[in-house]
Amino acid sequence: MDIVNFFETLAGKWFSQRTTHDLAGQSSQAGQSNLQIDFLPASDGDLAETCASLGHDLSQVACGLRVHQDSQIDGQTQKTQGTALMIVLTPTDAGEGVLVQATGSSARQGRYRIEDEVLTITTPTETGQVEERLWFINPNLRMRTSVVKVGDTEQIASFCSEIRMGVSKPAT
């Protein structure tokens, strides 16, 4: 599966159940999110505008996603809401490429690759990196893990199971 096909399969409305573990503090936290993910073709104006503002060659845009998130962490009363753009630049022959994640006026640039139908995104941070992996169990169930490293030390690990919502029941 190539990156454009993989991103097309991400489109839809998803319910995410997440557990995050702070390895240093030895604490865990659960939460839920509703995600609306829209696939954006390479010709999308928002992708072009964001790439131009960051100095990326528009001819290198492969596709993108607009992700609307509405999240609730267990034990907290305030929800978190936000929208982000994910922009995939054309991969190399080895199947790797640049992924830009933009929210509001900030943007982070990382690398992606697909191996054995698992998408891995590695994004540098000021103090380390975030590595996220995403794969499908079936078309309506996907898994996602992430690990936040500070230096070479893993600080935070999370696991999400995500179910596609609004899928019609098969005819009997």
Side-chain angles (χ1 to χ4, degrees), residues 73-172:
I73 295 174
D74 289 355
Q76 295 184 2
T77 57
Q78 190 167 0
K79 288 186 174 190
T80 303
Q81 296 180 332
T83 301
L85 276 182
M86 297 179 75
I87 305 165
V88 175
L89 301 183
T90 303
T92 63
D93 290 338
E96 298 181 358
V98 172
L99 179 85
V100 177
Q101 300 174 52
T103 55
S105 61
S106 68
R108 288 189 174 183
Q109 182 173 298
R111 307 265 325 148
Y112 71 84
R113 73 179 184 281
I114 294 180
E115 287 181 310
D116 300 323
E117 298 198 17
V118 176
L119 173 65
T120 302
I121 302 168
T122 305
T123 307
T125 66
E126 291 177 13
T127 58
Q129 73 176 18
V130 177
E131 182 176 281
E132 186 172 22
R133 297 180 54 138
L134 190 129
W135 66 98
F136 286 87
I137 301 299
N138 65 49
N140 298 314
L141 176 62
R142 66 181 188 208
M143 303 293 152
R144 187 165 41 108
T145 62
S146 66
V147 175
V148 177
K149 291 183 180 181
V150 175
D152 290 333
T153 305
E154 296 165 341
Q155 296 291 314
I156 299 172
S158 69
F159 173 78
C160 299
S161 59
E162 300 174 327
I163 300 168
R164 189 184 307 268
M165 304 301 289
V167 177
S168 56
K169 190 174 170 181
T172 56

